[in-house]
Coordinates of all heavy atoms in Angstrom, one line a residue:
P6 N 3.0 -18.0 3.2 CA 1.8 -18.5 2.8 C 0.6 -17.8 3.5 O -0.4 -17.8 3.0 CB 1.8 -20.1 3.3 CG 3.3 -20.4 3.3 CD 4.0 -19.0 3.6
D7 N 0.9 -17.4 4.8 CA -0.2 -16.7 5.6 C 0.1 -15.2 5.6 O -0.6 -14.5 6.4 CB -0.4 -17.3 6.9 CG 0.9 -17.1 7.7 OD1 2.0 -16.9 7.1 OD2 0.9 -17.3 8.9
A8 N 0.7 -14.6 4.7 CA 1.1 -13.2 4.6 C -0.2 -12.4 4.6 O -1.0 -12.8 3.9 CB 2.1 -12.9 3.6
R9 N -0.1 -11.2 5.2 CA -1.2 -10.3 5.0 C -0.9 -9.0 4.3 O 0.3 -8.4 4.8 CB -1.9 -10.0 6.4 CG -2.5 -11.2 7.1 CD -2.9 -11.0 8.5 NE -1.7 -10.8 9.3 CZ -1.5 -9.9 10.1 NH1 -2.4 -8.9 10.3 NH2 -0.3 -9.8 10.8
F10 N -1.7 -8.5 3.4 CA -1.3 -7.4 2.6 C -2.6 -6.5 2.8 O -3.6 -6.8 2.5 CB -1.1 -7.6 1.1 CG 0.1 -8.3 0.9 CD1 0.1 -9.8 1.0 CD2 1.3 -7.8 0.5 CE1 1.2 -10.5 0.8 CE2 2.4 -8.4 0.3 CZ 2.4 -9.9 0.4
I11 N -2.3 -5.3 3.5 CA -3.3 -4.3 3.8 C -3.0 -2.9 3.4 O -1.7 -2.5 3.8 CB -3.6 -4.3 5.4 CG1 -3.8 -5.8 5.9 CG2 -4.7 -3.4 5.8 CD1 -3.8 -6.0 7.4
S12 N -3.7 -2.2 2.9 CA -3.5 -0.8 2.6 C -4.1 -0.1 3.8 O -3.9 -0.4 4.9 CB -4.1 -0.3 1.3 OG -5.5 -0.3 1.4
T13 N -4.7 1.1 3.6 CA -5.2 2.0 4.7 C -6.3 1.4 5.4 O -6.6 1.9 6.5 CB -5.6 3.3 4.2 OG1 -6.6 3.2 3.2 CG2 -4.2 3.9 3.5
N14 N -7.1 0.4 4.9 CA -8.2 -0.1 5.7 C -8.3 -1.6 5.3 O -8.4 -2.1 4.2 CB -9.5 0.7 5.0 CG -10.7 0.4 5.6 OD1 -10.9 -0.6 6.5 ND2 -11.8 1.1 5.6
A15 N -8.4 -2.4 6.5 CA -8.4 -3.8 6.4 C -9.8 -4.3 5.9 O -9.9 -5.6 5.8 CB -8.0 -4.4 7.7
V16 N -10.8 -3.4 6.0 CA -12.1 -3.8 5.6 C -12.2 -3.6 4.1 O -12.1 -2.6 3.6 CB -13.2 -3.1 6.4 CG1 -14.7 -3.5 6.0 CG2 -13.0 -3.2 7.8
P17 N -12.8 -4.7 3.4 CA -13.1 -4.5 1.9 C -14.1 -3.3 1.6 O -14.9 -3.0 2.4 CB -13.7 -5.7 1.5 CG -13.3 -6.7 2.5 CD -13.2 -6.0 3.9
N18 N -13.8 -2.7 0.5 CA -14.6 -1.5 0.1 C -14.7 -1.6 -1.5 O -13.7 -1.5 -2.2 CB -14.0 -0.3 0.4 CG -14.7 1.0 0.0 OD1 -15.6 0.9 -0.8 ND2 -14.1 2.1 0.5
A19 N -15.9 -1.8 -2.0 CA -16.2 -1.9 -3.5 C -15.6 -0.7 -4.2 O -15.2 -0.8 -5.4 CB -17.6 -2.1 -3.8
A20 N -15.7 0.5 -3.7 CA -15.1 1.6 -4.3 C -13.5 1.8 -4.4 O -13.0 2.6 -5.1 CB -15.7 3.0 -3.6
N21 N -12.9 0.9 -3.6 CA -11.4 0.9 -3.5 C -10.9 -0.4 -3.6 O -10.9 -1.0 -2.5 CB -11.0 1.8 -2.4 CG -9.5 2.0 -2.4 OD1 -8.8 1.3 -2.9 ND2 -9.1 3.2 -1.8
P22 N -10.3 -1.0 -4.6 CA -9.9 -2.3 -4.7 C -8.7 -2.5 -3.7 O -8.4 -3.8 -3.6 CB -9.6 -2.6 -6.1 CG -9.3 -1.2 -6.8 CD -10.2 -0.2 -6.0
L23 N -8.0 -1.6 -3.3 CA -6.9 -1.8 -2.3 C -7.4 -2.0 -0.9 O -6.6 -2.5 -0.1 CB -6.0 -0.5 -2.4 CG -5.3 -0.3 -3.8 CD1 -4.5 1.1 -3.7 CD2 -4.5 -1.5 -4.1
H24 N -8.7 -1.7 -0.6 CA -9.2 -1.9 0.7 C -9.4 -3.5 1.0 O -9.9 -4.1 0.1 CB -10.4 -1.1 1.1 CG -10.1 0.3 1.2 ND1 -11.0 1.2 1.5 CD2 -9.0 1.0 1.2 CE1 -10.5 2.4 1.7 NE2 -9.2 2.3 1.4
G25 N -9.1 -3.8 2.1 CA -9.3 -5.3 2.5 C -8.1 -5.8 3.0 O -7.0 -5.2 3.1
T26 N -8.1 -7.1 3.4 CA -6.9 -7.8 3.9 C -6.8 -9.0 2.9 O -7.7 -9.8 2.8 CB -7.2 -8.4 5.3 OG1 -7.3 -7.3 6.2 CG2 -6.1 -9.2 5.8
F27 N -5.7 -9.0 2.3 CA -5.3 -10.0 1.2 C -4.3 -11.0 1.7 O -3.3 -10.6 2.3 CB -4.8 -9.2 0.1 CG -5.7 -8.2 -0.6 CD1 -5.7 -6.9 -0.1 CD2 -6.6 -8.5 -1.5 CE1 -6.6 -5.9 -0.6 CE2 -7.6 -7.5 -2.0 CZ -7.6 -6.3 -1.5
V28 N -4.6 -12.2 1.6 CA -3.7 -13.2 2.3 C -3.1 -14.2 1.3 O -3.6 -14.6 0.3 CB -4.7 -14.0 3.3 CG1 -3.8 -15.2 3.9 CG2 -5.3 -13.2 4.2
G29 N -1.8 -14.4 1.6 CA -1.0 -15.4 0.8 C -0.5 -14.8 -0.6 O -0.7 -13.6 -0.9
V30 N 0.0 -15.7 -1.4 CA 0.5 -15.4 -2.7 C -0.7 -14.9 -3.6 O -0.5 -13.8 -4.2 CB 1.2 -16.6 -3.4 CG1 1.5 -16.3 -4.8 CG2 2.4 -17.0 -2.6
E31 N -1.8 -15.5 -3.6 CA -2.9 -15.1 -4.4 C -3.4 -13.7 -3.9 O -3.7 -12.8 -4.7 CB -4.0 -16.1 -4.5 CG -3.6 -17.3 -5.3 CD -3.2 -17.0 -6.7 OE1 -3.9 -16.3 -7.4 OE2 -2.2 -17.6 -7.1
G32 N -3.4 -13.5 -2.7 CA -3.8 -12.2 -2.0 C -2.8 -11.1 -2.5 O -3.2 -10.0 -2.8
A33 N -1.5 -11.4 -2.6 CA -0.5 -10.4 -2.8 C -0.8 -10.0 -4.4 O -0.7 -8.8 -4.7 CB 0.8 -11.0 -2.7
K34 N -1.1 -11.0 -5.2 CA -1.3 -10.7 -6.7 C -2.5 -9.8 -6.8 O -2.5 -8.8 -7.5 CB -1.6 -11.9 -7.4 CG -0.3 -12.8 -7.6 CD -0.6 -14.1 -8.3 CE 0.7 -15.1 -8.4 NZ 0.3 -16.3 -9.0
Q35 N -3.6 -10.1 -6.0 CA -4.7 -9.3 -6.1 C -4.6 -7.9 -5.5 O -4.9 -6.8 -6.2 CB -5.9 -10.0 -5.3 CG -7.2 -9.2 -5.4 CD -8.3 -9.9 -4.6 OE1 -8.1 -11.0 -4.0 NE2 -9.5 -9.4 -4.6

Side-chain angles (χ1 to χ4, degrees):
D7 61 345
R9 293 171 293 130
F10 294 82
I11 305 166
S12 69
T13 58
N14 190 340
V16 178
N18 174 353
N21 187 331
L23 297 177
H24 285 181
T26 300
F27 303 85
V28 180
V30 171
E31 289 306 312
K34 290 177 183 176
Q35 185 180 0

